[in-house]
Amino acid sequence: MHHHHEGLGCGRRAAGAGDRTRPFRLPGARPRFLPDRPARVTHYRLDVSLDLPERRLDGTATLSLHFQRGADRVRLDAAELDVADVRWADAPGQALAFDVADEALVVRLDAPVVAGARRDLVVRYATRPRRGLHFVLPDREHRQRQAMAWTQGQDEHARAWFPCLDTPRDRATTEVIAEVPEPMEALSNGVLVAQEPGSRPRTRRFHWRLDQPHPPYLVTLVAGTFAALDDRWETPDGRVVPLRLLVPPRLAPLAGRTFAPTRAMMDHLSAWTGVPFPWPRYDQVVVEEFTFGGMENTTQTTLTARTLHDASVAEDFTSDHLVVHELAHQWFGDLVTCRDWSHAWLNEGFATFCEALWEERARGRDAYDTAVLDMREQYLEEADARYARPLVTRAFHAPIDLFDRHLYEKGALVLHHLRGLLGDDDLRAGVRRYLEAHRAGGAVETVDLERALFDETGRDLGAFFRQWVHRKGHPALKVSFEHDAAAGLGRVTVEQTQAGAPFELELDLVVVRGAARETHRLRLGGRKDVASLPMAAPPDRLVVDPDGWPCVTLELDLPAAWLRATLLEEARLIPRARAAAALAKKGGREDVDALRRALAQEGPYGLRGRVARALGEVGTTEARRALEAGLETVADPRVRARIADALGGFPGDPAAGDALAAILAGDRSPLVEAAAARALGRVRTPGAREALATTLAARESWNDVVRRGCLEGLGALFDPDALDACLPWLAYGKGEWTRYAAALAVGALADAGGMTTRTRVVEALTSLLRDPELHARIGAIEGLQAAGDPRALRALDRVGDTDVDGRVRRLAREAMRAIREGQDRATREGRLRRDLDALRETSRKLRDRLERLEAIVDARLPGPGPHDGLPGRRERGGGGGGREERDVFRGTEGLQEG
């Protein structure tokens, strides 16, 4: 499953996760374990009929049971099913007694069944489901919407449309026979066995079958009218896999651009895993109003229509990440499935890692490194602002609580780290063993991956998994250097500044002298580790962790000249991006010039975008001029969007406001316009509100991205008059994601005026908490949390207990906790943000004056020496060999590269 999220801005933190965030575990959460299973289901036969106008399903489920021990009752998962009767298939004349309560169907058997027995149980039922099976119908506000129905079983929603053992551990073969109105077709897992007229006039029946076991949450049913594009893929041994792409007819012209790489992705994933695509066919079905980005139902992925894109964003948006993520799940999640949801990182972490691997395969190593940096920033944003948790944890209210930036991005970063630790060949061999060893039973836990890697490589990774999977947080490293001329040593000091115990890890260090490069692998494990490197003179520079293998934050306390050389001369993207971030903190005239040159150079957008961000963080007039020059010379819209975003770091600067207003007036990329709108709100120059409100009212764009940017910009203005521009966009029919953006903007404006403004905000957002559109409700919760008003607590409490979607319940509980912990926090933060903007403006003016003074001094004094700015000789004291400060350099670890 892929979370559907749009936009870039991801925060970073300077300290290790877990020291300032709230706990992941919410009140009332308890450790969850799988239930006993006296009988397992080996096959489901679902015969269902859909009534779309009534939003109703009538069904007969036949479950083939294999009793593992004697039993006098059978318990099945069944949520809000209206069960008519239950019978044995071989005794249809005798109904069985049953009870339905607490999302369970408990069947009392007419006689005890002995261990080893096999019998088929038939359940007749009907449902108007609130989850699991979704009916999408046009209405007065959505006349273009196409009528259809689709299922979403993950995490525990299969039970809402058929009785089952609804855990990822329990796998069975399936048949789905679905009757739908003409001219619709019904789509499901596996192969189409038959198509015939239905039992009612103007209906058709479609019979699908999959003979390989898979879990209930991956059973799919989609009904609708689609345009189809057929293709095929051939395995290395000559097996032909049919491929099919199905989209709503009005969206068909956009499909080719979105899904063109599918065959190449199948080649790549089959080769990388060493396991050819393991299923008989692969369909990709695009549906309306899907609540996630995509869902990896076995042999048939469901995807959101929002991923289809037109030529206006073809340069700066791709669906590759979504398409390859869901395809990778056919191996990681479908062929081999986490045994229970506490180990779901084995599904989502692998699929997210495969996104980065595809970037490398399709676009080169810089694209892979960019993906790694993006994942790290997304994980760190959550670890900093929300919570930190172990990847494997059992204490949660609902499994969906786990589907966060830890499960996806940190899980992928753990696999990236393993790639560096083991090497490509050993990692791939271990992954192949993991898949082959468990494809028969299918259910795995983290220890199964650990054992497969050990069996293949001989590397015992118990300590690695304990630290990076079963412990929360990550190391925060501060790296410094000094040269001791008398001793002929260079000393690299690495301090771990995060809360909690130190991590044990390896960190690569490259010593650069001209064309020669010497790599040392440091073994860290103390609060302060010191590596002593023999060197008569300081090097040209040090490059720390060039591949970015471990998931760490780095504070580089190194000479600015080294950082500038790293930014401009290194080949690898990750150290260059880190150097840009470090130079932003130094902010000297030469540092800004180096950043300006890096932005102007042709190069990977993943670097240039981060350089733009660094210039925005510097905040001086010269930095702003460098960004403005970038707008004139940079063609890549992805970089231009980052430049626009960086210009938002100049509050009150008329030149920044003018540059952003010019972009907003018209750019060839709507995503660049959206970034400019968001930034213009942060700059808050005169006329910003009028420009944003005018564009909001008039500008149509792909997925409404420009309107959403305008709404975010209006929310950032802290102008009470902006509220009137935002409130109309909360209305049903304005577009679900546009309403989400409006809710966030409205919440951000709670402190812009007096009590009247705050009351209007709370009343408007509270009214959305029972809205039919998921993301409108989510936006309302997040807006109320930002507002921080205790009057919202009662409504949030009701939503946290009763909303049908687990994501909404979780966010409501988090919002309540945040409001209760600091009921006046929003007011204080609003004032602090305004004070911070004023402080930034003062800082910018002081830095401008300092730059002018530096220029005068440089004109009067000779230039610096080759190692100007290096730390001087340190007086050596006693100790240094203990755990808290130890020498970690081992001479045998140096590897000559140049």
Side-chain angles (χ1 to χ4, degrees), residues 686-889:
R689 175 169 56 82
E690 291 77 7
L692 290 168
T694 299
T695 307
L696 173 66
R699 181 73 165 90
E700 301 286 344
S701 61
W702 170 78
N703 278 351
D704 232 5
V705 292
V706 177
R707 278 205 177 98
R708 288 156 48 204
C710 290
L711 286 162
E712 186 173 336
L714 287 165
L717 285 174
F718 295 111
D719 181 348
D721 291 335
L723 185 61
D724 287 330
C726 297
L727 285 173
W729 295 91
L730 295 176
Y732 181 73
K734 292 294 188 182
E736 185 172 356
W737 282 89
T738 306
R739 301 176 74 206
Y740 170 81
L744 297 189
V746 168
L749 292 168
D751 295 313
M755 183 55 68
T756 300
T757 297
R758 174 170 283 275
T759 299
R760 292 178 69 199
V761 167
V762 173
E763 289 177 351
L765 295 180
T766 302
S767 69
L768 283 185
L769 291 176
R770 292 197 174 276
D771 193 88
E773 293 187 330
L774 170 67
H775 291 97
R777 303 200 302 279
I778 290 176
I781 292 168
E782 294 180 2
L784 287 168
Q785 179 172 340
D789 194 305
R791 289 175 291 177
L793 286 171
R794 180 177 296 179
L796 287 169
D797 186 43
R798 184 167 57 248
V799 170
D801 285 340
T802 63
D803 197 278
V804 70
D805 193 286
R807 290 165 290 180
V808 174
R809 296 195 301 272
R810 168 87 197 187
L811 288 171
R813 292 173 182 133
E814 288 190 27
M816 291 166 59
R817 179 173 66 182
I819 293 170
R820 284 169 173 157
E821 286 179 356
Q823 291 185 345
D824 295 325
R825 180 176 300 166
T827 301
R828 295 196 302 271
E829 287 182 350
R831 292 172 183 154
L832 286 172
R833 278 180 284 186
R834 288 190 288 273
D835 292 344
L836 179 60
D837 286 340
L839 184 61
R840 282 175 174 161
E841 176 63 12
T842 302
S843 175
R844 180 179 65 82
K845 292 176 180 177
L846 289 173
R847 280 191 164 184
D848 287 344
R849 294 178 64 187
L850 180 60
E851 284 183 358
R852 291 194 292 271
L853 288 172
E854 284 179 345
I856 294 171
V857 171
D858 288 347
R860 296 179 179 177
L861 295 179
H867 301 295
D868 186 61
L870 274 178
R873 181 182 187 279
R874 184 188 64 161
E875 292 298 322
R876 287 172 290 163
R883 180 67 170 172
E884 290 306 300
E885 181 172 335
R886 54 198 186 103
D887 195 311
V888 297
F889 172 65

Side-chain angles (χ1 to χ4, degrees), residues 354-370:
C354 287
E355 295 178 38
L357 292 175
W358 171 251
E359 285 296 304
E360 183 175 24
R361 160 72 169 72
R363 300 174 180 91
R365 186 61 187 233
D366 283 342
Y368 174 88
D369 287 348
T370 297

Side-chain angles (χ1 to χ4, degrees), residues 27-205:
R30 56 180 177 79
R32 293 169 59 109
F33 297 89
L34 293 178
D36 292 342
R37 185 187 65 186
R40 66 186 182 94
V41 180
T42 60
H43 183 73
Y44 293 96
R45 179 185 171 95
L46 308 178
D47 195 331
V48 299
S49 174
L50 297 183
D51 186 333
L52 272 73
E54 294 297 323
R55 301 177 184 268
R56 176 186 171 99
L57 175 144
D58 292 274
T60 300
T62 303
L63 287 68
S64 298
L65 301 176
H66 178 199
F67 286 85
Q68 297 175 270
R69 66 170 189 252
D72 60 2
R73 63 190 58 210
V74 172
R75 183 193 181 281
L76 300 169
D77 295 304
E80 301 181 7
L81 301 185
D82 183 8
V83 178
D85 67 61
V86 184
R87 303 169 188 266
W88 291 119
D90 57 5
Q94 182 177 354
L96 301 174
F98 62 88
D99 299 299
V100 179
D102 299 325
E103 296 199 354
L105 166 63
V106 179
V107 182
R108 299 192 296 274
L109 306 182
D110 50 350
V113 179
V114 299
R118 296 176 182 267
R119 296 189 73 176
D120 289 350
L121 191 70
V122 181
V123 182
R124 288 197 308 110
Y125 65 99
T127 182
R128 287 187 171 89
R130 298 188 300 150
R131 59 185 172 105
L133 172 61
H134 300 256
F135 293 92
V136 178
L137 298 170
D139 58 26
R140 186 175 61 184
E141 290 82 7
H142 303 90
R143 298 185 188 279
Q144 263 199 318
R145 182 187 285 166
Q146 180 179 319
M148 60 175 58
W150 44 262
T151 59
Q152 169 57 33
Q154 192 168 320
D155 46 25
E156 294 178 339
H157 303 319
R159 66 187 67 184
W161 71 281
F162 68 97
C164 57
L165 296 178
D166 198 4
T167 80
R169 167 194 67 188
D170 292 289
R171 301 167 71 89
T173 57
T174 57
E175 286 178 90
V176 175
I177 303 100
E179 184 171 284
V180 296
E182 294 178 337
M184 289 184 175
E185 60 182 311
L187 310 168
S188 190
N189 312 87
V191 297
L192 184 62
V193 176
Q195 175 183 334
E196 58 191 17
S199 62
R200 298 171 298 166
R202 296 184 297 281
T203 61
R204 293 191 292 173
R205 286 168 58 86

Side-chain angles (χ1 to χ4, degrees), residues 271-305:
W272 190 84
T273 62
V275 177
F277 183 78
W279 305 101
R281 66 178 298 114
Y282 187 58
D283 294 348
Q284 297 174 94
V285 185
V286 176
V287 301
E288 306 259 19
E289 310 298 323
F290 197 55
T291 54
F292 291 95
M295 181 62 213
E296 65 275 11
N297 307 304
T298 316
T299 75
Q300 187 178 106
T301 286
T302 308
L303 301 121
T304 173

Side-chain angles (χ1 to χ4, degrees), residues 551-790:
C551 179
V552 301
T553 60
L554 276 183
E555 180 184 350
L556 298 176
D557 185 13
L558 300 175
W562 290 9
L563 297 172
R564 293 193 294 267
T566 298
L567 172 64
L568 296 173
E569 299 174 20
E570 278 294 311
R572 293 298 300 277
L573 185 145
I574 288 176
R576 297 179 71 190
R578 284 171 164 166
L583 288 171
K585 296 178 181 178
K586 295 184 179 292
R589 184 165 51 85
E590 291 181 276
D591 306 324
V592 172
D593 185 63
L595 291 167
R596 177 193 61 77
R597 291 163 59 194
L599 181 62
Q601 289 175 351
E602 287 295 328
Y605 84 91
L607 173 66
R608 297 169 86 191
R610 285 170 171 82
V611 169
R613 179 169 64 192
L615 285 165
E617 291 171 357
V618 171
T620 63
T621 297
E622 285 305 312
R624 189 253 301 152
R625 288 172 179 162
L627 291 168
E628 291 175 329
L631 286 177
E632 296 297 324
T633 59
V634 174
D636 189 331
R638 296 168 297 181
V639 182
R640 290 173 57 79
R642 293 293 185 100
I643 293 173
D645 182 71
L647 284 169
F650 295 81
D653 189 317
D658 290 345
L660 292 168
I663 297 172
L664 188 59
D667 191 276
R668 74 174 190 272
S669 167
L671 293 172
V672 177
E673 293 177 19
R678 293 191 294 268
L680 185 59
R682 301 200 305 276
V683 173
R684 303 189 196 103
T685 46
R689 175 169 56 82
E690 291 77 7
L692 290 168
T694 299
T695 307
L696 173 66
R699 181 73 165 90
E700 301 286 344
S701 61
W702 170 78
N703 278 351
D704 232 5
V705 292
V706 177
R707 278 205 177 98
R708 288 156 48 204
C710 290
L711 286 162
E712 186 173 336
L714 287 165
L717 285 174
F718 295 111
D719 181 348
D721 291 335
L723 185 61
D724 287 330
C726 297
L727 285 173
W729 295 91
L730 295 176
Y732 181 73
K734 292 294 188 182
E736 185 172 356
W737 282 89
T738 306
R739 301 176 74 206
Y740 170 81
L744 297 189
V746 168
L749 292 168
D751 295 313
M755 183 55 68
T756 300
T757 297
R758 174 170 283 275
T759 299
R760 292 178 69 199
V761 167
V762 173
E763 289 177 351
L765 295 180
T766 302
S767 69
L768 283 185
L769 291 176
R770 292 197 174 276
D771 193 88
E773 293 187 330
L774 170 67
H775 291 97
R777 303 200 302 279
I778 290 176
I781 292 168
E782 294 180 2
L784 287 168
Q785 179 172 340
D789 194 305

